[in-house]
Amino acid sequence: MDAANDDGSAAIVKRLRDGLVNDWNILENVFRLMQREETFWAQPQQWDEGKIVEFFQPEKLKQLINLTVTEEAQAHSLDEIEQLCQLVIKYSVKTSHGRFHNQLFGQLDPFGLAGALITEALNAGAYTFEVAPVCSLIETEIISSVRKLAGYETGDGIFAPGGSTSNMYGIVLARYKFAPEVKTSGMFGMRPLVMFTSDESHYSFKKAAHWLGLGSENCVAVRTNARGQMRLDDLETKIAEAKARGGQPFFINATAGTTVLGAFDDINGIADVAERHNLWLHVDACLGGAVLMAHKHRSLIAGLERSNSFAWNPHKTCGVPLQCSLFLTRESDKLLDRCNSVEASYLFQQDKFYDVSYDTGNKSVQCGRKIDALKFWLMLKARGYGQYGHLVDHAINVARLLEDKIRSRADRFRLVLDTHEYANVCFWYIPKALRVAPEQETEEWRQRLYTVAPKIKEQMAYSGTLMIGYSPLKSQNLGNFFRMVFTCFPILKDDELDFILDEIERLGENIVI
């Protein structure tokens, strides 16, 4: 007898149960879509014919795809479900298109995509060896390998859902080491804990100060120089000021690859300051951590081994499918476990039939956690991290070449920095109406120039030929400019850089200033 009540639901349950065998065939339809060129537009010979996105405003998009979800599902055949999937793909941004340069990530590594498909199919959680035996070992191996790359002789780590959470792990661990009683009794009656990060660092630190009860005012912004690097003199000043007003400094963040300029803070210099004041040093290497594998540009992250912890997003630069984010610490003595563990006797029993040291859930703030390590592991098994090092070097070298090409078009383009440190290149396009003599470049002229990038970006969206982001730089009082970011994939040839600049010029002809 069916468990369902005899009110018609038993018949529905039986129909669903009997139909499951056929429902699994949807995977064949989806894999067929995955094999179509227009799903990715990943090959260079396809870039001219395929749009990055077919852009429509939200209300129009709602008309093109029936998004409504109702209590009573309409009967859809597998072919009709495939058509819905096809529409989702059609109107989504093709981030693997070789001319998508809008974010800090880009084209997928195919081995990473293979790992992502396996990860989703296994549908396991990375909290106990019991439910994810192989993947628990894979995560342990990746953490160990990256720890050694970073120069940590000892340590621990965890995969987290994005760089913001990885950075928050660093703050929580620093707070626990400084004041372990906070875990149980809270921060009542304590002097305000104060953290320091540059005014060009990621916004996640101010958000973390809010979420963790430190207060956003106790996330102190340290001034940067013209290249976007933290000023050590201002760091010392801000620490002294925090102490003078009754605060308790405990944490410094150094950035290895700022979001806009791609700037690298002086980690060794900041480590000296941290040691003098007995502060935890965390390095946000979410963007720039890829230089750990580089051959020519490894020196950008010199001093990382002196940090207490760092975060790295291999989904940025390296082509790992979103998301893949690591938190690493050189602290041992199970500090990460002691900081984050609670008694969950139904999950983390200590009398299991295997080595429970491979149960990673106790050191995570999450319970259910994706097995993000598998994607990165499969890539490294296929290529070895040495080959990715050459690709990171190539991306940085291509960025320097773009700077050269921009200089050769000095009447139409202007660099924000003469030379950037990483794979970021920031620049303005100057349309004909704004090409004036230097003495005519007034404040009013600059304000008009700052409107150019957003207007060309709009043209990019509707043409679908190119996607590059734009940004202001408030710390330097600079308005909107283009931010081009190169990644390991696609592996660009030099002539593609000419297309990028030519296309910006072509689209710039259609704007009104």
Side-chain angles (χ1 to χ4, degrees), residues 160-198:
S164 294
T165 305
S166 293
N167 287 328
M168 197 180 299
Y169 267 105
I171 300 169
V172 171
L173 199 58
R175 183 177 65 178
Y176 178 77
K177 185 169 185 181
F178 178 78
E181 68 276 10
V182 168
K183 179 177 178 179
T184 52
S185 59
M187 297 191 294
F188 303 102
M190 293 180 61
R191 293 167 59 192
L193 295 177
V194 185
M195 53 189 284
F196 305 87
T197 189
S198 85

mmCIF file of all heavy atoms in Angstrom, residues 160-198:
data_model
loop_
_atom_site.group_PDB
_atom_site.id
_atom_site.type_symbol
_atom_site.label_atom_id
_atom_site.label_comp_id
_atom_site.label_asym_id
_atom_site.label_seq_id
_atom_site.Cartn_x
_atom_site.Cartn_y
_atom_site.Cartn_z
ATOM 1 N N ALA A 160 36.021 27.516 0.911
ATOM 2 C CA ALA A 160 34.914 28.359 1.365
ATOM 3 C C ALA A 160 34.091 28.833 0.170
ATOM 4 O O ALA A 160 34.575 28.806 -0.968
ATOM 5 C CB ALA A 160 35.453 29.563 2.138
ATOM 6 N N PRO A 161 32.856 29.285 0.402
ATOM 7 C CA PRO A 161 31.998 29.749 -0.703
ATOM 8 C C PRO A 161 32.328 31.181 -1.116
ATOM 9 O O PRO A 161 31.550 32.105 -0.905
ATOM 10 C CB PRO A 161 30.593 29.632 -0.116
ATOM 11 C CG PRO A 161 30.795 29.865 1.344
ATOM 12 C CD PRO A 161 32.120 29.244 1.675
ATOM 13 N N GLY A 162 33.504 31.376 -1.701
ATOM 14 C CA GLY A 162 33.874 32.687 -2.208
ATOM 15 C C GLY A 162 34.914 33.381 -1.354
ATOM 16 O O GLY A 162 35.139 33.045 -0.179
ATOM 17 N N GLY A 163 35.564 34.387 -1.949
ATOM 18 C CA GLY A 163 36.637 35.090 -1.282
ATOM 19 C C GLY A 163 36.190 35.895 -0.079
ATOM 20 O O GLY A 163 36.941 36.043 0.892
ATOM 21 N N SER A 164 34.974 36.439 -0.118
ATOM 22 C CA SER A 164 34.490 37.210 1.029
ATOM 23 C C SER A 164 34.448 36.340 2.284
ATOM 24 O O SER A 164 34.846 36.771 3.376
ATOM 25 C CB SER A 164 33.096 37.780 0.739
ATOM 26 O OG SER A 164 33.140 38.728 -0.304
ATOM 27 N N THR A 165 33.971 35.112 2.136
ATOM 28 C CA THR A 165 33.936 34.197 3.281
ATOM 29 C C THR A 165 35.330 33.765 3.683
ATOM 30 O O THR A 165 35.635 33.634 4.875
ATOM 31 C CB THR A 165 33.061 32.975 2.961
ATOM 32 O OG1 THR A 165 31.763 33.414 2.552
ATOM 33 C CG2 THR A 165 32.927 32.063 4.173
ATOM 34 N N SER A 166 36.209 33.535 2.702
ATOM 35 C CA SER A 166 37.590 33.167 3.021
ATOM 36 C C SER A 166 38.270 34.261 3.830
ATOM 37 O O SER A 166 39.000 33.988 4.789
ATOM 38 C CB SER A 166 38.376 32.906 1.731
ATOM 39 O OG SER A 166 37.905 31.753 1.069
ATOM 40 N N ASN A 167 38.048 35.521 3.446
ATOM 41 C CA ASN A 167 38.612 36.621 4.219
ATOM 42 C C ASN A 167 38.013 36.677 5.620
ATOM 43 O O ASN A 167 38.710 36.971 6.601
ATOM 44 C CB ASN A 167 38.368 37.950 3.497
ATOM 45 C CG ASN A 167 39.255 38.115 2.274
ATOM 46 O OD1 ASN A 167 40.379 37.627 2.229
ATOM 47 N ND2 ASN A 167 38.750 38.804 1.261
ATOM 48 N N MET A 168 36.725 36.377 5.734
ATOM 49 C CA MET A 168 36.084 36.382 7.044
ATOM 50 C C MET A 168 36.669 35.293 7.944
ATOM 51 O O MET A 168 36.797 35.482 9.155
ATOM 52 C CB MET A 168 34.578 36.206 6.899
ATOM 53 C CG MET A 168 33.798 36.605 8.143
ATOM 54 S SD MET A 168 31.995 36.420 8.002
ATOM 55 C CE MET A 168 31.639 37.531 6.654
ATOM 56 N N TYR A 169 37.031 34.153 7.355
ATOM 57 C CA TYR A 169 37.705 33.111 8.137
ATOM 58 C C TYR A 169 38.957 33.675 8.809
ATOM 59 O O TYR A 169 39.251 33.371 9.974
ATOM 60 C CB TYR A 169 38.109 31.948 7.236
ATOM 61 C CG TYR A 169 37.101 30.831 7.150
ATOM 62 C CD1 TYR A 169 36.302 30.669 6.024
ATOM 63 C CD2 TYR A 169 36.960 29.906 8.177
ATOM 64 C CE1 TYR A 169 35.386 29.632 5.915
ATOM 65 C CE2 TYR A 169 36.051 28.861 8.087
ATOM 66 C CZ TYR A 169 35.266 28.726 6.954
ATOM 67 O OH TYR A 169 34.360 27.702 6.864
ATOM 68 N N GLY A 170 39.720 34.490 8.055
ATOM 69 C CA GLY A 170 40.940 35.053 8.616
ATOM 70 C C GLY A 170 40.656 35.951 9.806
ATOM 71 O O GLY A 170 41.371 35.908 10.827
ATOM 72 N N ILE A 171 39.616 36.770 9.701
ATOM 73 C CA ILE A 171 39.266 37.688 10.792
ATOM 74 C C ILE A 171 38.805 36.902 12.016
ATOM 75 O O ILE A 171 39.223 37.182 13.151
ATOM 76 C CB ILE A 171 38.175 38.671 10.330
ATOM 77 C CG1 ILE A 171 38.667 39.490 9.139
ATOM 78 C CG2 ILE A 171 37.768 39.599 11.472
ATOM 79 C CD1 ILE A 171 37.572 40.288 8.447
ATOM 80 N N VAL A 172 37.959 35.907 11.807
ATOM 81 C CA VAL A 172 37.443 35.108 12.925
ATOM 82 C C VAL A 172 38.580 34.360 13.614
ATOM 83 O O VAL A 172 38.639 34.291 14.855
ATOM 84 C CB VAL A 172 36.360 34.131 12.434
ATOM 85 C CG1 VAL A 172 35.973 33.157 13.545
ATOM 86 C CG2 VAL A 172 35.136 34.882 11.951
ATOM 87 N N LEU A 173 39.488 33.798 12.826
ATOM 88 C CA LEU A 173 40.599 33.043 13.414
ATOM 89 C C LEU A 173 41.530 33.972 14.190
ATOM 90 O O LEU A 173 42.014 33.613 15.279
ATOM 91 C CB LEU A 173 41.371 32.313 12.307
ATOM 92 C CG LEU A 173 42.256 31.147 12.747
ATOM 93 C CD1 LEU A 173 41.434 30.088 13.466
ATOM 94 C CD2 LEU A 173 42.969 30.533 11.545
ATOM 95 N N ALA A 174 41.778 35.172 13.637
ATOM 96 C CA ALA A 174 42.620 36.142 14.344
ATOM 97 C C ALA A 174 41.974 36.546 15.661
ATOM 98 O O ALA A 174 42.650 36.656 16.700
ATOM 99 C CB ALA A 174 42.837 37.367 13.457
ATOM 100 N N ARG A 175 40.669 36.784 15.631
ATOM 101 C CA ARG A 175 39.968 37.169 16.858
ATOM 102 C C ARG A 175 40.017 36.049 17.892
ATOM 103 O O ARG A 175 40.223 36.296 19.093
ATOM 104 C CB ARG A 175 38.518 37.532 16.541
ATOM 105 C CG ARG A 175 37.733 38.021 17.742
ATOM 106 C CD ARG A 175 36.323 38.444 17.363
ATOM 107 N NE ARG A 175 35.508 37.319 16.886
ATOM 108 C CZ ARG A 175 34.231 37.438 16.535
ATOM 109 N NH1 ARG A 175 33.623 38.617 16.585
ATOM 110 N NH2 ARG A 175 33.561 36.373 16.115
ATOM 111 N N TYR A 176 39.849 34.807 17.420
ATOM 112 C CA TYR A 176 39.872 33.670 18.348
ATOM 113 C C TYR A 176 41.241 33.520 19.000
ATOM 114 O O TYR A 176 41.338 33.273 20.211
ATOM 115 C CB TYR A 176 39.499 32.389 17.614
ATOM 116 C CG TYR A 176 39.533 31.163 18.491
ATOM 117 C CD1 TYR A 176 38.497 30.901 19.390
ATOM 118 C CD2 TYR A 176 40.604 30.290 18.452
ATOM 119 C CE1 TYR A 176 38.530 29.790 20.209
ATOM 120 C CE2 TYR A 176 40.656 29.171 19.264
ATOM 121 C CZ TYR A 176 39.612 28.921 20.150
ATOM 122 O OH TYR A 176 39.662 27.825 20.971
ATOM 123 N N LYS A 177 42.306 33.702 18.224
ATOM 124 C CA LYS A 177 43.639 33.569 18.810
ATOM 125 C C LYS A 177 43.914 34.701 19.792
ATOM 126 O O LYS A 177 44.548 34.500 20.836
ATOM 127 C CB LYS A 177 44.707 33.555 17.725
ATOM 128 C CG LYS A 177 46.108 33.283 18.291
ATOM 129 C CD LYS A 177 47.140 33.010 17.231
ATOM 130 C CE LYS A 177 48.466 32.628 17.894
ATOM 131 N NZ LYS A 177 49.525 32.377 16.906
ATOM 132 N N PHE A 178 43.435 35.901 19.467
ATOM 133 C CA PHE A 178 43.659 37.039 20.358
ATOM 134 C C PHE A 178 42.810 36.939 21.621
ATOM 135 O O PHE A 178 43.275 37.247 22.727
ATOM 136 C CB PHE A 178 43.333 38.338 19.611
ATOM 137 C CG PHE A 178 43.477 39.570 20.455
ATOM 138 C CD1 PHE A 178 44.729 40.106 20.712
ATOM 139 C CD2 PHE A 178 42.354 40.188 21.003
ATOM 140 C CE1 PHE A 178 44.862 41.233 21.506
ATOM 141 C CE2 PHE A 178 42.478 41.314 21.794
ATOM 142 C CZ PHE A 178 43.741 41.843 22.047
ATOM 143 N N ALA A 179 41.566 36.522 21.467
ATOM 144 C CA ALA A 179 40.642 36.480 22.614
ATOM 145 C C ALA A 179 39.737 35.266 22.469
ATOM 146 O O ALA A 179 38.578 35.382 22.049
ATOM 147 C CB ALA A 179 39.829 37.766 22.688
ATOM 148 N N PRO A 180 40.218 34.070 22.804
ATOM 149 C CA PRO A 180 39.414 32.848 22.604
ATOM 150 C C PRO A 180 38.102 32.841 23.378
ATOM 151 O O PRO A 180 37.157 32.158 22.993
ATOM 152 C CB PRO A 180 40.356 31.726 23.078
ATOM 153 C CG PRO A 180 41.374 32.407 23.925
ATOM 154 C CD PRO A 180 41.540 33.771 23.378
ATOM 155 N N GLU A 181 38.024 33.633 24.448
ATOM 156 C CA GLU A 181 36.790 33.655 25.238
ATOM 157 C C GLU A 181 35.618 34.248 24.460
ATOM 158 O O GLU A 181 34.452 34.038 24.835
ATOM 159 C CB GLU A 181 37.009 34.442 26.531
ATOM 160 C CG GLU A 181 37.245 35.938 26.357
ATOM 161 C CD GLU A 181 38.685 36.319 26.057
ATOM 162 O OE1 GLU A 181 39.489 35.391 25.791
ATOM 163 O OE2 GLU A 181 38.998 37.519 26.071
ATOM 164 N N VAL A 182 35.906 34.981 23.381
ATOM 165 C CA VAL A 182 34.837 35.569 22.583
ATOM 166 C C VAL A 182 33.917 34.487 22.032
ATOM 167 O O VAL A 182 32.713 34.695 21.873
ATOM 168 C CB VAL A 182 35.429 36.416 21.422
ATOM 169 C CG1 VAL A 182 34.358 36.785 20.410
ATOM 170 C CG2 VAL A 182 36.072 37.674 21.982
ATOM 171 N N LYS A 183 34.478 33.309 21.759
ATOM 172 C CA LYS A 183 33.682 32.221 21.186
ATOM 173 C C LYS A 183 32.504 31.854 22.092
ATOM 174 O O LYS A 183 31.412 31.532 21.593
ATOM 175 C CB LYS A 183 34.570 31.001 20.949
ATOM 176 C CG LYS A 183 33.829 29.795 20.386
ATOM 177 C CD LYS A 183 34.772 28.634 20.106
ATOM 178 C CE LYS A 183 34.007 27.423 19.583
ATOM 179 N NZ LYS A 183 34.898 26.277 19.286
ATOM 180 N N THR A 184 32.697 31.897 23.373
ATOM 181 C CA THR A 184 31.649 31.462 24.296
ATOM 182 C C THR A 184 30.933 32.619 24.976
ATOM 183 O O THR A 184 29.707 32.580 25.177
ATOM 184 C CB THR A 184 32.242 30.534 25.372
ATOM 185 O OG1 THR A 184 33.379 31.187 25.978
ATOM 186 C CG2 THR A 184 32.679 29.219 24.757
ATOM 187 N N SER A 185 31.654 33.671 25.353
ATOM 188 C CA SER A 185 31.032 34.746 26.129
ATOM 189 C C SER A 185 30.793 36.013 25.340
ATOM 190 O O SER A 185 30.207 36.972 25.871
ATOM 191 C CB SER A 185 31.901 35.066 27.358
ATOM 192 O OG SER A 185 33.211 35.454 26.962
ATOM 193 N N GLY A 186 31.242 36.069 24.083
ATOM 194 C CA GLY A 186 31.014 37.252 23.269
ATOM 195 C C GLY A 186 32.009 38.363 23.576
ATOM 196 O O GLY A 186 32.982 38.172 24.308
ATOM 197 N N MET A 187 31.746 39.545 23.023
ATOM 198 C CA MET A 187 32.684 40.664 23.144
ATOM 199 C C MET A 187 32.226 41.705 24.161
ATOM 200 O O MET A 187 32.700 42.841 24.151
ATOM 201 C CB MET A 187 32.888 41.311 21.775
ATOM 202 C CG MET A 187 33.513 40.377 20.748
ATOM 203 S SD MET A 187 34.034 41.222 19.232
ATOM 204 C CE MET A 187 32.462 41.745 18.572
ATOM 205 N N PHE A 188 31.335 41.324 25.058
ATOM 206 C CA PHE A 188 30.809 42.269 26.042
ATOM 207 C C PHE A 188 31.926 42.762 26.974
ATOM 208 O O PHE A 188 32.700 41.969 27.515
ATOM 209 C CB PHE A 188 29.698 41.619 26.860
ATOM 210 C CG PHE A 188 28.570 41.108 26.018
ATOM 211 C CD1 PHE A 188 28.456 39.753 25.732
ATOM 212 C CD2 PHE A 188 27.633 41.981 25.485
ATOM 213 C CE1 PHE A 188 27.418 39.276 24.943
ATOM 214 C CE2 PHE A 188 26.594 41.518 24.694
ATOM 215 C CZ PHE A 188 26.487 40.157 24.420
ATOM 216 N N GLY A 189 32.002 44.070 27.133
ATOM 217 C CA GLY A 189 32.963 44.643 28.065
ATOM 218 C C GLY A 189 34.374 44.748 27.541
ATOM 219 O O GLY A 189 35.267 45.245 28.241
ATOM 220 N N MET A 190 34.625 44.300 26.325
ATOM 221 C CA MET A 190 35.972 44.370 25.766
ATOM 222 C C MET A 190 36.229 45.746 25.154
ATOM 223 O O MET A 190 35.300 46.458 24.762
ATOM 224 C CB MET A 190 36.150 43.315 24.660
ATOM 225 C CG MET A 190 36.114 41.892 25.118
ATOM 226 S SD MET A 190 36.323 40.762 23.704
ATOM 227 C CE MET A 190 37.959 41.249 23.101
ATOM 228 N N ARG A 191 37.503 46.095 25.061
ATOM 229 C CA ARG A 191 37.861 47.243 24.241
ATOM 230 C C ARG A 191 37.521 46.908 22.789
ATOM 231 O O ARG A 191 37.644 45.756 22.369
ATOM 232 C CB ARG A 191 39.357 47.537 24.348
ATOM 233 C CG ARG A 191 39.802 48.014 25.713
ATOM 234 C CD ARG A 191 41.317 47.969 25.833
ATOM 235 N NE ARG A 191 41.976 48.796 24.821
ATOM 236 C CZ ARG A 191 43.284 48.738 24.565
ATOM 237 N NH1 ARG A 191 44.060 47.861 25.218
ATOM 238 N NH2 ARG A 191 43.820 49.522 23.664
ATOM 239 N N PRO A 192 37.063 47.896 22.018
ATOM 240 C CA PRO A 192 36.704 47.622 20.621
ATOM 241 C C PRO A 192 37.886 47.048 19.841
ATOM 242 O O PRO A 192 38.979 47.616 19.850
ATOM 243 C CB PRO A 192 36.304 49.000 20.089
ATOM 244 C CG PRO A 192 35.936 49.791 21.301
ATOM 245 C CD PRO A 192 36.820 49.296 22.399
ATOM 246 N N LEU A 193 37.652 45.910 19.200
ATOM 247 C CA LEU A 193 38.685 45.306 18.355
ATOM 248 C C LEU A 193 38.738 46.064 17.033
ATOM 249 O O LEU A 193 37.709 46.344 16.417
ATOM 250 C CB LEU A 193 38.375 43.831 18.103
ATOM 251 C CG LEU A 193 38.409 42.914 19.336
ATOM 252 C CD1 LEU A 193 38.011 41.497 18.947
ATOM 253 C CD2 LEU A 193 39.791 42.918 19.979
ATOM 254 N N VAL A 194 39.956 46.387 16.581
ATOM 255 C CA VAL A 194 40.137 47.217 15.396
ATOM 256 C C VAL A 194 40.977 46.467 14.365
ATOM 257 O O VAL A 194 42.003 45.864 14.697
ATOM 258 C CB VAL A 194 40.819 48.554 15.746
ATOM 259 C CG1 VAL A 194 40.893 49.461 14.509
ATOM 260 C CG2 VAL A 194 40.067 49.262 16.870
ATOM 261 N N MET A 195 40.526 46.509 13.115
ATOM 262 C CA MET A 195 41.242 45.880 12.011
ATOM 263 C C MET A 195 41.614 46.944 10.989
ATOM 264 O O MET A 195 41.002 48.015 10.919
ATOM 265 C CB MET A 195 40.389 44.784 11.365
ATOM 266 C CG MET A 195 39.009 45.237 10.950
ATOM 267 S SD MET A 195 37.924 43.895 10.432
ATOM 268 C CE MET A 195 38.578 43.564 8.800
ATOM 269 N N PHE A 196 42.634 46.651 10.170
ATOM 270 C CA PHE A 196 43.182 47.624 9.240
ATOM 271 C C PHE A 196 43.313 47.007 7.852
ATOM 272 O O PHE A 196 43.781 45.868 7.715
ATOM 273 C CB PHE A 196 44.553 48.121 9.718
ATOM 274 C CG PHE A 196 44.537 48.674 11.109
ATOM 275 C CD1 PHE A 196 44.706 47.829 12.199
ATOM 276 C CD2 PHE A 196 44.317 50.019 11.338
ATOM 277 C CE1 PHE A 196 44.677 48.320 13.496
ATOM 278 C CE2 PHE A 196 44.275 50.522 12.633
ATOM 279 C CZ PHE A 196 44.455 49.666 13.716
ATOM 280 N N THR A 197 42.909 47.755 6.852
ATOM 281 C CA THR A 197 43.029 47.309 5.468
ATOM 282 C C THR A 197 43.112 48.547 4.590
ATOM 283 O O THR A 197 42.720 49.640 5.008
ATOM 284 C CB THR A 197 41.841 46.408 5.076
ATOM 285 O OG1 THR A 197 42.080 45.817 3.805
ATOM 286 C CG2 THR A 197 40.532 47.186 5.041
ATOM 287 N N SER A 198 43.607 48.418 3.391
ATOM 288 C CA SER A 198 43.820 49.606 2.559
ATOM 289 C C SER A 198 42.507 50.147 2.000
ATOM 290 O O SER A 198 41.507 49.426 1.914
ATOM 291 C CB SER A 198 44.783 49.282 1.407
ATOM 292 O OG SER A 198 44.093 48.720 0.311
#
